[in-house]
Amino acid sequence: MTELTARRAFWRGYLDCAPFILIVIPYSMLFGVVARDAGLDLFQTMSMTILVIAGAAQFTALALLQDNAPVFIALLTALAVNLRMAMYSAALVPHIGHARFSVRALMAYLMVDQAFAVCVKTYEERPDMQPAAKVAYYFGCMMLICPFWYGFTFVGAYVGQAIPASLSLDFALPICFIALTGPLLRSVPHYVAALVSGVAILCFAWVPWNLGIMVAATLAMISGAQTELYLRRRAAKGAA
């Protein structure tokens, strides 16, 4: 397999993330529209999308604020939704943890679901990739996603109600996470966690302020971890 230089790795990451643009464009436009409908002005909308750069957390916070939930609850729930970023970071440490602190700080800011999924898949498929190439690949992925996210959030916020409801931009949200999650389900613990989270979010949909998301996420992580622990113990007994 041909060794990737840093330059080639950057453009490889850029191209590998290209298909997600079809999802990022309507997803970011939808956030711009929803944010304006929620009462945010153009500056506030763009400030939120640039500072947070996490669609799921941004939508969650807006929904809670529209439901007149306390700001503390909105922030706490958005933080809980974004806790997956901590897991993403832990998964990436073996690959890009060697980078200096300032570079890692920039990586943390730019991290989005789509680029993480593409990076992890590529790193696992290319164990021969050099450390510098891994960092370059990561930035290649991010440099395609982030500008589109900023730009089309602005378009959605600026155009606002001029976008006809018949376009149904909200289709992008579930498709995005299905496309991200599907390829990452590779083991029994993964399937168990996905199943538990799906069932739990339906069972706890009645919980006010969307706090059912936190309950479902917690149950999914516990069930996945316990399933993996059970399988390891069973394998250890079988080997004994």
Side-chain angles (χ1 to χ4, degrees):
M1 190 175 293
T2 305
E3 182 177 339
L4 288 178
T5 63
R7 182 184 180 86
R8 290 180 60 189
F10 177 91
W11 290 112
R12 171 74 179 275
Y14 193 89
L15 293 175
D16 285 351
C17 267
F20 283 107
I21 295 304
L22 298 176
I23 295 174
V24 171
I25 289 176
Y27 189 18
S28 54
M29 287 181 67
L30 178 63
F31 174 75
V33 173
V34 171
R36 294 303 298 273
D37 287 345
L40 274 62
D41 60 29
L42 185 60
F43 176 77
Q44 292 169 331
T45 300
M46 292 308 299
S47 295
M48 185 176 188
T49 205
I50 290 173
L51 292 173
V52 180
I53 190 171
Q58 291 172 220
F59 277 104
T60 300
L62 280 181
L64 292 173
L65 293 175
Q66 285 181 301
D67 290 340
N68 296 316
V71 174
F72 171 75
I73 293 296
L75 293 175
L76 181 63
T77 306
L79 177 62
V81 171
N82 259 9
L83 281 177
R84 69 188 188 282
M85 298 297 175
M87 293 184 285
Y88 291 175
S89 297
L92 288 173
V93 166
H95 304 288
I96 56 178
H98 63 275
R100 63 180 185 273
F101 178 78
S102 59
V103 174
R104 284 185 281 120
L106 181 59
M107 288 176 165
Y109 164 71
L110 293 173
M111 186 180 295
V112 293
D113 299 283
Q114 298 91 339
F116 164 78
V118 172
C119 285
V120 166
K121 184 174 184 295
T122 300
Y123 294 159
E124 291 179 352
E125 292 177 349
R126 296 290 302 266
D128 61 320
M129 188 181 290
Q130 296 300 309
K134 289 184 176 182
V135 172
Y137 184 87
Y138 182 94
F139 279 112
C141 292
M142 301 303 174
M143 287 303 104
L144 181 66
I145 297 293
C146 294
F148 277 89
W149 176 257
Y150 300 147
F152 282 91
T153 295
F154 177 84
V155 171
Y158 187 77
V159 177
Q161 296 302 319
I163 299 176
S166 60
L167 287 181
S168 299
L169 295 176
D170 53 347
F171 81 93
L173 185 58
I175 289 178
C176 177
F177 281 97
I178 290 173
L180 293 174
T181 305
L184 297 178
L185 299 179
R186 301 178 180 178
S187 65
V188 174
H190 293 163
Y191 288 114
V192 171
L195 177 62
V196 170
S197 65
V199 172
I201 198 64
L202 294 176
C203 293
F204 292 98
W206 57 270
V207 179
W209 301 330
N210 285 337
L211 293 179
I213 295 174
M214 298 173 64
V215 177
T218 302
L219 292 176
M221 288 187 288
I222 292 174
S223 60
Q226 289 300 313
T227 301
E228 184 171 4
L229 182 61
Y230 167 76
L231 292 176
R232 285 183 179 179
R233 287 176 176 173
R234 190 175 70 172
K237 288 182 179 179

